[in-house]
Amino acid sequence: MNYKISLLENKISESLEELGFEKTSVTLNPSNRPELGDYQYNGIMPLAKKNNQNPVELAEKLVALLKDYPELKDVSVAGPGFINLTFSDKFLLDFINESNENIDINYKQDINKTIFLDYGGPNVAKVLHVGHLRSANIGEALKRLCKAVGCKTISDVHLGDWGRPMGMVILEIKTRHPELPYFKDDYNGEDVKFNITNEDLLELYPIATTKAKENENIMEEARKINYELQNKHKGYYALWQKLVDVSVKVVKKIYQDLNVSFDLWEGESDNFEYMTEMFEYLYSKNIIEESDGAKVIHVKKETDKKEMPPLILIKSNGAVSYEATDLAAIWERTHNFKLDEIWYMTDKRQELHFTQVFRAAYKSAIAKPELQLIFNGFGTMNGPDGKPFKTRDGGVMPLADLLDMVTEECEKRLSENVTENRNNIARTIAIAAIKYADLLPFRTTDYNFDIEKFTDLNGKTGTYLLYSTIRMKSLLTKAEENNLHPATMSILKESERKIILTMLDLKRIIKRSYENYSLNEICEYLYKITNLYNNFYGENHIITEENKELQTSWLTLTKVIYDNNCKLLNILGINIPEKM
Ligand code: ARG
């Protein structure tokens, strides 16, 4: 809770002690009837009941002790024993002035953990789609939120760079270019002049996988190549590295546009390096069992209501599974880092996979009980018709096309005053629009893509927030040019009061967002405070105001709200353009 509010909570707790009660922890909440007070305390009724006292009488005794407290303007009893508190002007002004000096006091919580975040999850040679977009947006924002509350973070893109599809793609290249040195028995690792682009790969991947699915011989051949690749066959391995490089370069560019970055660029292939070590350990623990020719770990619990199949480590055809890779990733991460938690951000349809992996990790003690493995699944972004997002010809919508489409729409709406850099600015706005729309619903909720709605300058949108925040900035710049500076706030009127009360609630919003692993409340909050500020802005002529004390107060408030908006937009991973 906000340190200012906890000041009051402590005061109430002390007063209750004065009335003869044991030390109780007190929680104040924003009032749901603002006409009666700013915050309310609902703890009197249960306390009175527990101690066989009359709640209204007890509430009145407490109110008598709080009456002269300078941080409160008013305190009163309502109904069966609710206590309503109205803050004094001094309390609210102090809060804004302290925030002006150190905006971080509104974010930091006493959480001191090291959190490993696994998000992004792009696949080599395969097109990035909207599911990858959601993983990147949510993961990046959660990482920034973790940092804001005081945690250390380690982020990993967890590249899908291993497994059978790699064998299929290499086989397709081999079929098309059998003359390449990679496929010769005497290939010795020399550099090969073979130009393959990401477009080539995107064209090749669906063909390669369809061929293998439709023809058992091709599938067998691909499996063999994959097996040799995993055993570091010189030619296949060198070609594979080239494919990874080509894909990663393109993916990095898109992530850069999206303001998404990672500490680690590990992939499934890196986890694979730990496979032998991990299997030795698992065998020594005696928890691997044979089942229909596969090697499995049983993860069912007595209490399970739903079916819980065993986790397959090695399939009956000898292939190492996606589950084994994720288990090896936990092995690797816990051996390399001292972690409190590992968070996974993927489509919620992968929940069973992660449930199995987590259970196997705890059962085998690869994960110690103190390590928290947390699955943060998310809902789907659907097309405007509510069905899974498709291109006009029915294919998967590539992420790059989606970004271009929204950028084009934003450029149309860009003011004529923006003459330079229009495309870059439109891109920044488009990304803000997409991210805000993506983070606004609760994490697990599905939502529909609606380009008109997402880019609307007057709605609950990223564009509206950017526009308003840029306007705050230009007001502050104009003030500076006129030699007017924010300093301390000393005058408070009704509309400012509402803004400051909303600011006071931020710390609680941040805490809830962190605890729910969801950015939706921060998105709602940004909209609320920006709206309140815009109403205030509309009512007052800040630059021409003659009362200097009032003018300084307004500028100070503007600066705090501006800094706060920048900070919150930054947590969402949204950049603010110079103008729009
Ligand atoms: N590459 C996977 C996909 O595209 C996502 C990876 C998710 N992370 C993980 N540790 N399995 O579906």
Side-chain angles (χ1 to χ4, degrees), residues 118-123 126 129 132 135 157-160 268 322 326 329 333 344-346 350 353-354:
D118 175 321
Y119 60 97
N123 301 311
K126 206 172 162 185
H129 55 67
H132 295 114
S135 180
V157 70
H158 199 78
L159 211 57
E268 295 174 1
Y322 178 45
D326 264 315
R333 290 164 184 175
Y344 296 82
M345 277 56 70
T346 82
Q350 293 201 29
H353 162 81
F354 283 102

PDB file of all heavy atoms in Angstrom, residues 118-123 126 129 132 135 157-160 268 322 326 329 333 344-346 350 353-354, ligand 1:
ATOM      1  N   ASP A 118      10.346 -16.360 -19.455  1.00  0.00           N
ATOM      2  CA  ASP A 118      10.449 -17.071 -20.731  1.00  0.00           C
ATOM      3  C   ASP A 118       9.300 -16.581 -21.602  1.00  0.00           C
ATOM      4  O   ASP A 118       8.137 -16.846 -21.305  1.00  0.00           O
ATOM      5  CB  ASP A 118      10.331 -18.580 -20.427  1.00  0.00           C
ATOM      6  CG  ASP A 118      10.307 -19.492 -21.650  1.00  0.00           C
ATOM      7  OD1 ASP A 118       9.686 -19.133 -22.677  1.00  0.00           O
ATOM      8  OD2 ASP A 118      10.881 -20.597 -21.561  1.00  0.00           O
ATOM      9  N   TYR A 119       9.611 -15.798 -22.627  1.00  0.00           N
ATOM     10  CA  TYR A 119       8.545 -15.298 -23.509  1.00  0.00           C
ATOM     11  C   TYR A 119       9.105 -15.068 -24.910  1.00  0.00           C
ATOM     12  O   TYR A 119      10.307 -15.143 -25.114  1.00  0.00           O
ATOM     13  CB  TYR A 119       7.908 -14.032 -22.950  1.00  0.00           C
ATOM     14  CG  TYR A 119       8.829 -12.847 -22.746  1.00  0.00           C
ATOM     15  CD1 TYR A 119       8.913 -11.839 -23.711  1.00  0.00           C
ATOM     16  CD2 TYR A 119       9.599 -12.720 -21.598  1.00  0.00           C
ATOM     17  CE1 TYR A 119       9.749 -10.731 -23.519  1.00  0.00           C
ATOM     18  CE2 TYR A 119      10.433 -11.628 -21.406  1.00  0.00           C
ATOM     19  CZ  TYR A 119      10.505 -10.639 -22.370  1.00  0.00           C
ATOM     20  OH  TYR A 119      11.333  -9.567 -22.185  1.00  0.00           O
ATOM     21  N   GLY A 120       8.215 -14.754 -25.833  1.00  0.00           N
ATOM     22  CA  GLY A 120       8.640 -14.568 -27.226  1.00  0.00           C
ATOM     23  C   GLY A 120       8.410 -15.866 -27.976  1.00  0.00           C
ATOM     24  O   GLY A 120       7.464 -16.011 -28.733  1.00  0.00           O
ATOM     25  N   GLY A 121       9.303 -16.830 -27.752  1.00  0.00           N
ATOM     26  CA  GLY A 121       9.143 -18.164 -28.328  1.00  0.00           C
ATOM     27  C   GLY A 121       9.012 -18.246 -29.834  1.00  0.00           C
ATOM     28  O   GLY A 121       8.245 -19.062 -30.349  1.00  0.00           O
ATOM     29  N   PRO A 122       9.753 -17.409 -30.604  1.00  0.00           N
ATOM     30  CA  PRO A 122       9.643 -17.513 -32.066  1.00  0.00           C
ATOM     31  C   PRO A 122      10.291 -18.809 -32.548  1.00  0.00           C
ATOM     32  O   PRO A 122      11.121 -19.383 -31.844  1.00  0.00           O
ATOM     33  CB  PRO A 122      10.447 -16.314 -32.567  1.00  0.00           C
ATOM     34  CG  PRO A 122      11.459 -16.058 -31.503  1.00  0.00           C
ATOM     35  CD  PRO A 122      10.789 -16.431 -30.203  1.00  0.00           C
ATOM     36  N   ASN A 123       9.888 -19.256 -33.722  1.00  0.00           N
ATOM     37  CA  ASN A 123      10.446 -20.493 -34.265  1.00  0.00           C
ATOM     38  C   ASN A 123      11.303 -20.199 -35.492  1.00  0.00           C
ATOM     39  O   ASN A 123      10.921 -19.382 -36.330  1.00  0.00           O
ATOM     40  CB  ASN A 123       9.315 -21.442 -34.653  1.00  0.00           C
ATOM     41  CG  ASN A 123       8.447 -21.776 -33.449  1.00  0.00           C
ATOM     42  OD1 ASN A 123       8.945 -22.130 -32.391  1.00  0.00           O
ATOM     43  ND2 ASN A 123       7.147 -21.622 -33.611  1.00  0.00           N
ATOM     44  N   LYS A 126      10.112 -20.205 -39.419  1.00  0.00           N
ATOM     45  CA  LYS A 126       8.648 -20.206 -39.430  1.00  0.00           C
ATOM     46  C   LYS A 126       8.160 -18.782 -39.198  1.00  0.00           C
ATOM     47  O   LYS A 126       8.794 -18.022 -38.470  1.00  0.00           O
ATOM     48  CB  LYS A 126       8.186 -21.115 -38.288  1.00  0.00           C
ATOM     49  CG  LYS A 126       6.831 -21.712 -38.497  1.00  0.00           C
ATOM     50  CD  LYS A 126       6.584 -22.732 -37.409  1.00  0.00           C
ATOM     51  CE  LYS A 126       5.122 -23.050 -37.270  1.00  0.00           C
ATOM     52  NZ  LYS A 126       4.860 -23.934 -36.158  1.00  0.00           N
ATOM     53  N   HIS A 129       3.626 -15.053 -35.758  1.00  0.00           N
ATOM     54  CA  HIS A 129       2.206 -14.714 -35.881  1.00  0.00           C
ATOM     55  C   HIS A 129       1.724 -13.969 -34.645  1.00  0.00           C
ATOM     56  O   HIS A 129       2.521 -13.654 -33.749  1.00  0.00           O
ATOM     57  CB  HIS A 129       1.385 -15.972 -36.153  1.00  0.00           C
ATOM     58  CG  HIS A 129       1.574 -17.061 -35.128  1.00  0.00           C
ATOM     59  ND1 HIS A 129       1.148 -16.926 -33.826  1.00  0.00           N
ATOM     60  CD2 HIS A 129       2.168 -18.282 -35.213  1.00  0.00           C
ATOM     61  CE1 HIS A 129       1.448 -18.024 -33.160  1.00  0.00           C
ATOM     62  NE2 HIS A 129       2.077 -18.863 -33.970  1.00  0.00           N
ATOM     63  N   HIS A 132       2.738 -15.000 -31.126  1.00  0.00           N
ATOM     64  CA  HIS A 132       4.079 -14.566 -30.718  1.00  0.00           C
ATOM     65  C   HIS A 132       4.060 -13.095 -30.309  1.00  0.00           C
ATOM     66  O   HIS A 132       4.789 -12.681 -29.417  1.00  0.00           O
ATOM     67  CB  HIS A 132       5.075 -14.796 -31.854  1.00  0.00           C
ATOM     68  CG  HIS A 132       5.256 -16.252 -32.184  1.00  0.00           C
ATOM     69  ND1 HIS A 132       4.874 -16.785 -33.387  1.00  0.00           N
ATOM     70  CD2 HIS A 132       5.757 -17.276 -31.467  1.00  0.00           C
ATOM     71  CE1 HIS A 132       5.130 -18.089 -33.393  1.00  0.00           C
ATOM     72  NE2 HIS A 132       5.672 -18.411 -32.235  1.00  0.00           N
ATOM     73  N   SER A 135       2.783 -12.954 -26.730  1.00  0.00           N
ATOM     74  CA  SER A 135       3.811 -13.418 -25.798  1.00  0.00           C
ATOM     75  C   SER A 135       4.859 -12.330 -25.578  1.00  0.00           C
ATOM     76  O   SER A 135       5.266 -12.052 -24.447  1.00  0.00           O
ATOM     77  CB  SER A 135       4.462 -14.687 -26.331  1.00  0.00           C
ATOM     78  OG  SER A 135       5.450 -15.127 -25.429  1.00  0.00           O
ATOM     79  N   VAL A 157      14.422 -15.512 -24.730  1.00  0.00           N
ATOM     80  CA  VAL A 157      13.503 -15.573 -25.868  1.00  0.00           C
ATOM     81  C   VAL A 157      13.032 -17.002 -26.171  1.00  0.00           C
ATOM     82  O   VAL A 157      12.029 -17.220 -26.794  1.00  0.00           O
ATOM     83  CB  VAL A 157      14.164 -14.937 -27.110  1.00  0.00           C
ATOM     84  CG1 VAL A 157      15.284 -15.800 -27.630  1.00  0.00           C
ATOM     85  CG2 VAL A 157      13.165 -14.667 -28.214  1.00  0.00           C
ATOM     86  N   HIS A 158      13.784 -17.977 -25.708  1.00  0.00           N
ATOM     87  CA  HIS A 158      13.452 -19.389 -25.909  1.00  0.00           C
ATOM     88  C   HIS A 158      13.050 -19.710 -27.351  1.00  0.00           C
ATOM     89  O   HIS A 158      11.915 -20.084 -27.664  1.00  0.00           O
ATOM     90  CB  HIS A 158      12.346 -19.833 -24.950  1.00  0.00           C
ATOM     91  CG  HIS A 158      12.305 -21.325 -24.820  1.00  0.00           C
ATOM     92  ND1 HIS A 158      13.188 -22.022 -24.045  1.00  0.00           N
ATOM     93  CD2 HIS A 158      11.524 -22.250 -25.412  1.00  0.00           C
ATOM     94  CE1 HIS A 158      12.940 -23.308 -24.152  1.00  0.00           C
ATOM     95  NE2 HIS A 158      11.940 -23.480 -24.979  1.00  0.00           N
ATOM     96  N   LEU A 159      14.028 -19.587 -28.190  1.00  0.00           N
ATOM     97  CA  LEU A 159      13.873 -19.833 -29.621  1.00  0.00           C
ATOM     98  C   LEU A 159      13.490 -21.289 -29.913  1.00  0.00           C
ATOM     99  O   LEU A 159      14.094 -22.207 -29.369  1.00  0.00           O
ATOM    100  CB  LEU A 159      15.253 -19.582 -30.216  1.00  0.00           C
ATOM    101  CG  LEU A 159      15.421 -19.060 -31.624  1.00  0.00           C
ATOM    102  CD1 LEU A 159      14.678 -17.757 -31.788  1.00  0.00           C
ATOM    103  CD2 LEU A 159      16.905 -18.855 -31.899  1.00  0.00           C
ATOM    104  N   GLY A 160      12.504 -21.480 -30.785  1.00  0.00           N
ATOM    105  CA  GLY A 160      12.167 -22.832 -31.233  1.00  0.00           C
ATOM    106  C   GLY A 160      13.076 -23.201 -32.391  1.00  0.00           C
ATOM    107  O   GLY A 160      12.744 -22.992 -33.549  1.00  0.00           O
ATOM    108  N   GLU A 268      15.895 -23.968 -27.870  1.00  0.00           N
ATOM    109  CA  GLU A 268      15.708 -25.356 -27.472  1.00  0.00           C
ATOM    110  C   GLU A 268      17.005 -26.148 -27.701  1.00  0.00           C
ATOM    111  O   GLU A 268      17.310 -27.088 -26.966  1.00  0.00           O
ATOM    112  CB  GLU A 268      14.556 -25.972 -28.258  1.00  0.00           C
ATOM    113  CG  GLU A 268      13.216 -25.312 -27.944  1.00  0.00           C
ATOM    114  CD  GLU A 268      12.067 -25.812 -28.821  1.00  0.00           C
ATOM    115  OE1 GLU A 268      12.306 -26.694 -29.672  1.00  0.00           O
ATOM    116  OE2 GLU A 268      10.947 -25.310 -28.662  1.00  0.00           O
ATOM    117  N   TYR A 322       9.032 -32.138 -26.939  1.00  0.00           N
ATOM    118  CA  TYR A 322       8.960 -30.720 -26.532  1.00  0.00           C
ATOM    119  C   TYR A 322       8.975 -30.633 -24.994  1.00  0.00           C
ATOM    120  O   TYR A 322       9.606 -29.759 -24.402  1.00  0.00           O
ATOM    121  CB  TYR A 322       7.662 -30.166 -27.123  1.00  0.00           C
ATOM    122  CG  TYR A 322       7.308 -28.721 -26.829  1.00  0.00           C
ATOM    123  CD1 TYR A 322       8.256 -27.696 -26.925  1.00  0.00           C
ATOM    124  CD2 TYR A 322       5.996 -28.357 -26.511  1.00  0.00           C
ATOM    125  CE1 TYR A 322       7.906 -26.374 -26.694  1.00  0.00           C
ATOM    126  CE2 TYR A 322       5.630 -27.032 -26.280  1.00  0.00           C
ATOM    127  CZ  TYR A 322       6.586 -26.046 -26.365  1.00  0.00           C
ATOM    128  OH  TYR A 322       6.222 -24.738 -26.133  1.00  0.00           O
ATOM    129  N   ASP A 326      11.618 -28.637 -22.404  1.00  0.00           N
ATOM    130  CA  ASP A 326      11.287 -27.672 -21.360  1.00  0.00           C
ATOM    131  C   ASP A 326      11.789 -28.117 -19.982  1.00  0.00           C
ATOM    132  O   ASP A 326      12.145 -27.288 -19.149  1.00  0.00           O
ATOM    133  CB  ASP A 326       9.777 -27.387 -21.335  1.00  0.00           C
ATOM    134  CG  ASP A 326       9.457 -26.133 -22.138  1.00  0.00           C
ATOM    135  OD1 ASP A 326      10.178 -25.137 -21.969  1.00  0.00           O
ATOM    136  OD2 ASP A 326       8.513 -26.153 -22.955  1.00  0.00           O
ATOM    137  N   ALA A 329      15.292 -27.262 -19.965  1.00  0.00           N
ATOM    138  CA  ALA A 329      15.458 -25.808 -19.798  1.00  0.00           C
ATOM    139  C   ALA A 329      15.434 -25.451 -18.313  1.00  0.00           C
ATOM    140  O   ALA A 329      16.214 -24.614 -17.853  1.00  0.00           O
ATOM    141  CB  ALA A 329      14.364 -25.059 -20.549  1.00  0.00           C
ATOM    142  N   ARG A 333      18.447 -23.714 -16.352  1.00  0.00           N
ATOM    143  CA  ARG A 333      18.241 -22.421 -15.671  1.00  0.00           C
ATOM    144  C   ARG A 333      18.545 -22.508 -14.175  1.00  0.00           C
ATOM    145  O   ARG A 333      19.133 -21.589 -13.607  1.00  0.00           O
ATOM    146  CB  ARG A 333      16.796 -21.952 -15.910  1.00  0.00           C
ATOM    147  CG  ARG A 333      16.582 -21.539 -17.355  1.00  0.00           C
ATOM    148  CD  ARG A 333      15.124 -21.442 -17.755  1.00  0.00           C
ATOM    149  NE  ARG A 333      15.025 -21.141 -19.185  1.00  0.00           N
ATOM    150  CZ  ARG A 333      13.898 -21.092 -19.863  1.00  0.00           C
ATOM    151  NH1 ARG A 333      12.748 -21.329 -19.250  1.00  0.00           N
ATOM    152  NH2 ARG A 333      13.905 -20.806 -21.152  1.00  0.00           N
ATOM    153  N   TYR A 344       6.334 -18.263 -17.401  1.00  0.00           N
ATOM    154  CA  TYR A 344       6.194 -18.610 -18.821  1.00  0.00           C
ATOM    155  C   TYR A 344       5.003 -17.865 -19.407  1.00  0.00           C
ATOM    156  O   TYR A 344       3.906 -17.949 -18.855  1.00  0.00           O
ATOM    157  CB  TYR A 344       5.952 -20.108 -18.991  1.00  0.00           C
ATOM    158  CG  TYR A 344       7.113 -20.960 -18.538  1.00  0.00           C
ATOM    159  CD1 TYR A 344       7.284 -21.269 -17.194  1.00  0.00           C
ATOM    160  CD2 TYR A 344       8.040 -21.447 -19.452  1.00  0.00           C
ATOM    161  CE1 TYR A 344       8.355 -22.050 -16.778  1.00  0.00           C
ATOM    162  CE2 TYR A 344       9.104 -22.232 -19.045  1.00  0.00           C
ATOM    163  CZ  TYR A 344       9.261 -22.521 -17.703  1.00  0.00           C
ATOM    164  OH  TYR A 344      10.314 -23.288 -17.291  1.00  0.00           O
ATOM    165  N   MET A 345       5.218 -17.181 -20.504  1.00  0.00           N
ATOM    166  CA  MET A 345       4.126 -16.479 -21.157  1.00  0.00           C
ATOM    167  C   MET A 345       3.861 -17.111 -22.523  1.00  0.00           C
ATOM    168  O   MET A 345       4.594 -16.871 -23.483  1.00  0.00           O
ATOM    169  CB  MET A 345       4.490 -14.991 -21.337  1.00  0.00           C
ATOM    170  CG  MET A 345       4.245 -14.108 -20.139  1.00  0.00           C
ATOM    171  SD  MET A 345       5.041 -14.584 -18.575  1.00  0.00           S
ATOM    172  CE  MET A 345       6.758 -14.259 -18.921  1.00  0.00           C
ATOM    173  N   THR A 346       2.851 -17.971 -22.578  1.00  0.00           N
ATOM    174  CA  THR A 346       2.464 -18.543 -23.869  1.00  0.00           C
ATOM    175  C   THR A 346       0.937 -18.595 -23.929  1.00  0.00           C
ATOM    176  O   THR A 346       0.250 -18.364 -22.933  1.00  0.00           O
ATOM    177  CB  THR A 346       2.979 -19.988 -24.079  1.00  0.00           C
ATOM    178  OG1 THR A 346       2.089 -20.893 -23.409  1.00  0.00           O
ATOM    179  CG2 THR A 346       4.370 -20.195 -23.577  1.00  0.00           C
ATOM    180  N   GLN A 350      -1.413 -23.994 -24.095  1.00  0.00           N
ATOM    181  CA  GLN A 350      -0.249 -24.826 -23.728  1.00  0.00           C
ATOM    182  C   GLN A 350      -0.254 -25.169 -22.229  1.00  0.00           C
ATOM    183  O   GLN A 350       0.743 -25.654 -21.695  1.00  0.00           O
ATOM    184  CB  GLN A 350       1.055 -24.112 -24.093  1.00  0.00           C
ATOM    185  CG  GLN A 350       1.252 -23.969 -25.597  1.00  0.00           C
ATOM    186  CD  GLN A 350       2.713 -23.752 -25.991  1.00  0.00           C
ATOM    187  OE1 GLN A 350       3.644 -24.197 -25.317  1.00  0.00           O
ATOM    188  NE2 GLN A 350       2.936 -23.065 -27.103  1.00  0.00           N
ATOM    189  N   HIS A 353       0.652 -28.824 -21.191  1.00  0.00           N
ATOM    190  CA  HIS A 353       2.083 -29.057 -21.376  1.00  0.00           C
ATOM    191  C   HIS A 353       2.874 -28.558 -20.159  1.00  0.00           C
ATOM    192  O   HIS A 353       3.697 -29.282 -19.595  1.00  0.00           O
ATOM    193  CB  HIS A 353       2.539 -28.353 -22.660  1.00  0.00           C
ATOM    194  CG  HIS A 353       4.017 -28.141 -22.771  1.00  0.00           C
ATOM    195  ND1 HIS A 353       4.873 -29.126 -23.183  1.00  0.00           N
ATOM    196  CD2 HIS A 353       4.794 -27.057 -22.509  1.00  0.00           C
ATOM    197  CE1 HIS A 353       6.119 -28.657 -23.183  1.00  0.00           C
ATOM    198  NE2 HIS A 353       6.091 -27.409 -22.779  1.00  0.00           N
ATOM    199  N   PHE A 354       2.582 -27.325 -19.741  1.00  0.00           N
ATOM    200  CA  PHE A 354       3.360 -26.769 -18.635  1.00  0.00           C
ATOM    201  C   PHE A 354       2.995 -27.420 -17.297  1.00  0.00           C
ATOM    202  O   PHE A 354       3.856 -27.594 -16.448  1.00  0.00           O
ATOM    203  CB  PHE A 354       3.231 -25.246 -18.596  1.00  0.00           C
ATOM    204  CG  PHE A 354       4.081 -24.584 -19.652  1.00  0.00           C
ATOM    205  CD1 PHE A 354       3.530 -24.097 -20.824  1.00  0.00           C
ATOM    206  CD2 PHE A 354       5.461 -24.518 -19.502  1.00  0.00           C
ATOM    207  CE1 PHE A 354       4.324 -23.526 -21.821  1.00  0.00           C
ATOM    208  CE2 PHE A 354       6.263 -23.943 -20.491  1.00  0.00           C
ATOM    209  CZ  PHE A 354       5.694 -23.446 -21.649  1.00  0.00           C
TER     210      PHE A 354
HETATM  211  N1  ARG B   1       8.074 -21.916 -29.771  1.00  0.00           N
HETATM  212  C1  ARG B   1       6.832 -22.180 -29.121  1.00  0.00           C
HETATM  213  C2  ARG B   1       5.653 -21.862 -30.056  1.00  0.00           C
HETATM  214  O1  ARG B   1       5.793 -21.178 -31.024  1.00  0.00           O
HETATM  215  C3  ARG B   1       6.659 -21.375 -27.852  1.00  0.00           C
HETATM  216  C4  ARG B   1       7.682 -21.612 -26.782  1.00  0.00           C
HETATM  217  C5  ARG B   1       7.141 -21.331 -25.429  1.00  0.00           C
HETATM  218  N2  ARG B   1       8.111 -21.473 -24.346  1.00  0.00           N
HETATM  219  C6  ARG B   1       8.494 -22.637 -23.820  1.00  0.00           C
HETATM  220  N3  ARG B   1       9.381 -22.645 -22.850  1.00  0.00           N
HETATM  221  N4  ARG B   1       7.998 -23.768 -24.250  1.00  0.00           N
HETATM  222  O2  ARG B   1       4.546 -22.311 -29.760  1.00  0.00           O
END
